[in-house]
Structures are given as structure tokens and as C-alpha cells.
Amino acid sequence: MQGLKTVLAQIEVAVARRNKDLPQVSPRLVAVSKIKPVSLIIQTYEAGQRHFGENYVNELADKASDPEILEKCKDIHWHFIGHLQTNKINRLLGSPGLYMVETVHSQKLADNLNKQWPKYMKADEKLKVMVQVNTSGEDVKSGVEPAQAVSLVEHVIKNCENLDFKGLMTIGQYDYDITKGPNPDFLTLASCRNEVCEKLRLNIKDVELSMGMSSDFEHAIELGATTVRVGSTIFGARPVKK
């Protein structure tokens, strides 16, 4: 798995360049296996990768329940990183190995997850979630506006006893040119975290930032990412959509 080795090496280099004022958390790599076959996921797992991300509920549920994955990847951690519709919640929550839902974008979704999770919960373990922030203000992207981040996080912490708030996530605009300066989406998410921690009295080291993909994960780490979501650099390019 040359792609995986390359990405892990790039993460180390980016960590060394990270601003020393930021929480010195070792970044988690989520390998985004969207439309990639089970055989490739198993190969990547056997090379030491444990966290995998999927954008679509049905694809995550099918892969998580695949007999080969259940047999050979017993410690796999699935992250849901796509837009979650209410009617798909049960299918997602029933997926073996579900580790985190990174895209909680509304109180309604948080309430629904909170209500349904006890049916699937093992050993009183809360469902780990992140609050998704639409840092780029694009209509096609989900997430709360940055100004609403504190109130949604507060709602999750105070009213959703079955959810475990872990951090903030953004997709941001694609192909930002970093020769123009630091990516404003990443700066916005970091500043949302500062505000959330200040107003809700949380320790900044306990609030993760999930940002950065194949094209910009090193830059994201330099600006404080604690989770990066990388697909094509690990698995190879995806076929172009027709």
C-alpha cells in the first residue's frame, strides 16, 4: 500500500510544520473508501489503517456488513462523512463498526440520532459525533453557519445524552489555491472551535477539527486539523462521473 505509506509520511512532515500554539494532537487519518471495493479496504486494513470513511449510508452499511470485512477487519472504525437524511438514520446506526457521524448539521438531526441510538448502543457507549459547519457558505454544502456552531454544539452537549460531542467538521470549497494565503475555510473552522471552547468552557485539546482532503490535508494539519479525510491519494483516482 504505497499510497497509504506516502500519506502517513506526508502527515508527519505537516505535523512538524504545524504552529506550536495549536493543540499538539497526532492527526487521525480517515481513509475515504467511497466506491472502492472491499478487497482494497481489507488490503489497507492489513497495512495498519483502522479508520475508514464513507459518504453514502447504503455504501457504508453494505461494506460494514460484508462477511469478509466482518471476518478480516474486526477492529475497523467507520466514519460517516456525507449528508445524512433522517430516513437513512436507522440503516446507518445499525452498521457494524460505526465509529463516528461527522456530519451533524442541525438540531433535528442531532435529536433523531439521540433518540434512535439506544436501539443500537452497546455497553452504554455514546455515539461519537461532530458538528458540521458550512465554512464556505455554498448552498450545495451542508452544515450550520459558523455563527450557529456554538448553539448546535451546546444543544448536543446539553440535550442529547446519547451523543458524545467530539469536534467540528467542514468540507470547505474544493481546489482552494494556497498561494493566495491560508485556506479561509480552515481558519474559520479553527476560529469556530475557539469560540465553542470559550463560550461552553471546553478544553481545546478535547475538541477535534476534521478538515482537509487529498488535495489539501497537509495544509489543513498545519492549520490545526486533528482528522484528515483522504481518498484518492491512498486508493488511486476515482472514475470520472459520467
Side-chain angles (χ1 to χ4, degrees):
M1 286 304 293
Q2 193 51 49
L4 179 62
K5 281 185 189 158
T6 303
V7 170
L8 291 171
Q10 287 171 302
I11 286 175
E12 273 190 45
V13 172
V15 165
R17 289 198 300 257
R18 180 171 55 189
N19 184 327
K20 296 295 175 262
D21 295 337
L22 291 164
Q24 298 301 301
V25 177
S26 185
R28 176 197 293 124
L29 171 62
V30 174
V32 181
S33 44
K34 182 170 82 172
I35 75 166
K36 295 299 179 182
V38 161
S39 58
L40 209 47
I41 294 170
I42 292 169
Q43 208 183 328
T44 312
Y45 181 93
E46 286 171 350
Q49 179 62 23
R50 291 294 175 267
H51 292 266
F52 291 80
E54 288 288 343
N55 292 65
Y56 299 106
V57 171
N58 289 347
E59 191 172 357
L60 188 152
D62 289 347
K63 286 173 175 173
S65 306
D66 184 276
E68 264 202 291
I69 285 189
L70 288 171
E71 184 199 339
K72 295 179 178 173
C73 309
K74 295 200 187 310
D75 192 32
I76 197 165
H77 296 333
W78 291 104
H79 292 239
F80 185 70
I81 57 173
H83 179 68
L84 181 54
Q85 294 161 303
T86 311
N87 62 346
K88 295 275 179 77
I89 284 176
N90 283 302
R91 179 114 212 258
L92 177 64
L93 297 186
S95 304
L98 178 67
Y99 180 79
M100 186 184 287
V101 177
E102 292 199 17
T103 46
V104 174
H105 58 265
S106 67
Q107 287 193 10
K108 182 185 170 194
L109 179 57
D111 289 340
N112 271 303
L113 288 168
N114 184 59
K115 185 178 162 194
Q116 301 299 338
W117 181 241
K119 288 193 263 180
Y120 306 96
M121 181 162 47
K122 294 178 182 71
D124 292 341
E125 197 173 317
K126 294 181 176 190
L127 175 66
K128 297 177 182 69
V129 297
M130 289 192 179
V131 163
Q132 183 177 5
V133 183
N134 185 349
T135 52
S136 55
E138 296 168 89
D139 292 342
V140 291
K141 303 267 165 71
S142 299
V144 290
E145 288 177 24
Q148 307 303 316
V150 173
S151 64
L152 182 49
V153 172
E154 185 172 31
H155 178 78
V156 169
I157 292 172
K158 289 190 173 167
N159 304 312
C160 301
E161 68 279 2
N162 300 314
L163 305 184
D164 181 11
F165 169 71
K166 283 296 181 192
L168 303 174
M169 178 264 206
T170 191
I171 292 171
Q173 60 175 303
Y174 298 117
D175 299 326
Y176 172 76
D177 178 3
I178 61 171
T179 61
K180 295 176 180 169
N183 186 323
D185 289 315
F186 299 163
L187 294 176
T188 298
L189 198 68
S191 117
C192 281
R193 175 172 68 176
N194 291 343
E195 194 185 359
V196 162
C197 291
E198 196 179 312
K199 294 199 169 152
L200 304 179
R201 298 187 174 172
L202 303 177
N203 185 336
I204 197 165
K205 289 179 184 160
D206 297 334
V207 181
E208 299 181 28
L209 292 182
S210 176
M211 58 191 195
M213 296 184 273
S214 281
S215 60
D216 54 14
F217 69 90
E218 294 158 281
H219 180 58
I221 289 169
E222 289 172 39
L223 296 181
T226 61
T227 290
V228 289
R229 310 176 304 269
V230 181
S232 52
T233 313
I234 295 173
F235 295 110
R238 295 192 188 94
V240 180
K241 280 185 186 167
K242 295 279 190 296

